[in-house]
């Protein structure tokens, strides 16, 4: 009987400790759940802001509201902040460029760049066809005439023939959506033939950087979503 009483006494003495341990386990479980919910909520906010930014990047519209929302949602995520910095750099560079009323607010879209390429390519072709040593009004009129009679074709050789070959190859690349390769090729144009492409190349480079930033955001959002599954 005395042994039973002693055992009961020990049980009563240990009960508060066991209860405290159980409470601690429950609290730890609740804390873990809340932490997981906070992480999921943060990822959801980043995903929403990221996809909105990516969609806007692909257009020719301003992205400032989406950038602000992205910065607020990502809370210092290094990858996304790198993409945001890329877009901000483009904005600063474009703000310093002369603007025409018809120019897009943001970075021209791929489709706009492809369409404009046809115009600047024709202007470059006319410059190529201006007779050497005749950079006068008459020479440019001859360039207009020759360009109306003959389209650029793929050739081989040097001088203006090599320039013509670059135009043809660049046309194929732009139509195929290989903007980066087209830019690299057209950067090698020389003389008057290169002048019509000057502004086009600026827009094309900005579009390439914008697309790269969008790809970074898309990849990061995808990785974050997989991490909370």
């Amino acid at each position: 009987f005395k042994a039973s009483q002693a055992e009961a006494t020990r049980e009563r003495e240990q009960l508060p400790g066991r209860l405290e341990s159980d409470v601690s386990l429950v609290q730890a479980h609740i804390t873990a759940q809340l932490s997981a919910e906070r992480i999921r909520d943060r990822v959801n906010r980043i995903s929403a802001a990221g996809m909105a930014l990516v969609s806007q990047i692909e257009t020719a519209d301003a992205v400032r509201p989406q950038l602000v929302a992205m910065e607020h949602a990502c809370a210092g995520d290094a990858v996304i902040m790198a993409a945001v910095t890329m877009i901000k750099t483009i904005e600063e560079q474009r703000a310093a460029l002369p603007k025409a009323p018809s120019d897009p607010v943001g970075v021209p879209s791929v489709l706009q760049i492809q369409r404009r390429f046809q115009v600047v390519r024709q202007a470059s072709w006319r410059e190529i066809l201006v007779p050497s040593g005749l950079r006068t009004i008459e020479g440019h009129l001859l360039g207009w005439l020759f360009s109306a009679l003959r389209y650029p074709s793929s050739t081989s050789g040097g001088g203006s023939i090599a320039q013509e070959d670059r135009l043809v190859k660049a046309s194929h690349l732009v139509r195929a959506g290989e903007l980066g390769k087209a830019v690299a090729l057209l950067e090698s144009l020389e003389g008057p033939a290169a002048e019509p492409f000057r502004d086009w190349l600026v827009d094309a480079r900005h579009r390439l950087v914008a697309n790269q930033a969008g790809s970074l955001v898309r990849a990061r959002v995808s990785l974050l979503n997989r991490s909370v599954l």
Side-chain angles (χ1 to χ4, degrees):
F1 178 73
K2 289 182 178 180
S4 298
Q5 282 185 324
E7 181 66 25
T9 301
R10 283 195 299 272
E11 288 288 334
R12 286 195 300 271
E13 290 173 348
Q14 293 173 356
L15 182 59
R18 289 201 300 269
L19 289 175
E20 184 176 347
S21 176
D22 291 342
V23 169
S24 297
L25 288 173
V26 171
Q27 287 177 334
H29 179 67
I30 292 173
T31 300
Q33 282 188 321
L34 290 174
S35 178
E37 288 176 4
R38 283 194 294 270
I39 291 172
R40 282 194 294 269
D41 181 62
R42 178 173 180 264
V43 169
N44 288 337
R45 290 198 306 272
I46 292 175
S47 296
M51 290 302 95
L53 178 60
V54 169
S55 296
Q56 197 73 357
I57 285 173
E58 293 172 353
T59 71
D61 298 326
V63 297
R64 175 56 56 177
Q66 288 74 23
L67 276 180
V68 172
M70 186 78 265
E71 286 182 291
H72 180 72
C74 76
D77 183 279
V79 175
I80 291 179
M81 287 308 298
V84 168
T85 300
M86 291 165 68
I87 298 298
K88 284 184 174 181
T89 300
I90 295 174
E91 285 187 327
E92 292 171 0
Q93 292 174 354
R94 296 191 68 79
L97 297 175
K99 285 276 189 180
S102 59
D103 287 345
V105 177
V107 179
S109 66
V110 172
L111 182 59
Q112 288 173 325
I113 288 173
Q114 288 173 326
R115 288 174 176 170
R116 189 173 165 217
F117 175 83
Q118 304 305 321
V119 177
V120 294
R121 184 199 65 169
Q122 187 63 23
S124 179
W125 177 230
R126 288 194 297 267
E127 292 294 338
I128 290 174
L129 293 177
V130 172
S132 180
L134 195 60
R135 290 282 161 187
T136 61
I137 294 177
E138 291 79 6
H140 281 88
L141 286 174
L142 286 173
W144 275 85
L145 177 61
F146 294 153
S147 68
L149 297 175
R150 186 168 78 85
Y151 290 102
S153 59
S154 186
T155 60
S156 60
S160 64
I161 296 178
Q163 302 268 63
E164 177 178 352
D165 195 44
R166 291 189 185 98
L167 283 187
V168 174
K169 291 178 180 177
S171 296
H172 293 317
L173 290 169
V174 170
R175 280 198 298 270
E178 298 283 354
L179 197 57
K181 292 180 180 179
V183 166
L185 181 62
L186 291 169
E187 285 175 338
S188 65
L189 284 175
E190 300 173 347
E195 183 61 24
F197 279 105
R198 185 183 60 183
D199 292 342
W200 184 89
L201 282 170
V202 171
D203 287 342
R205 293 187 197 103
H206 284 167
R207 172 43 57 189
L208 289 171
V209 174
N211 286 351
Q212 184 181 8
S215 296
L216 276 176
V217 173
R218 189 183 289 109
R220 183 58 175 163
V221 165
S222 177
L223 182 62
L224 287 172
N225 279 312
R226 287 200 299 269
S227 70
V228 296
L229 291 178

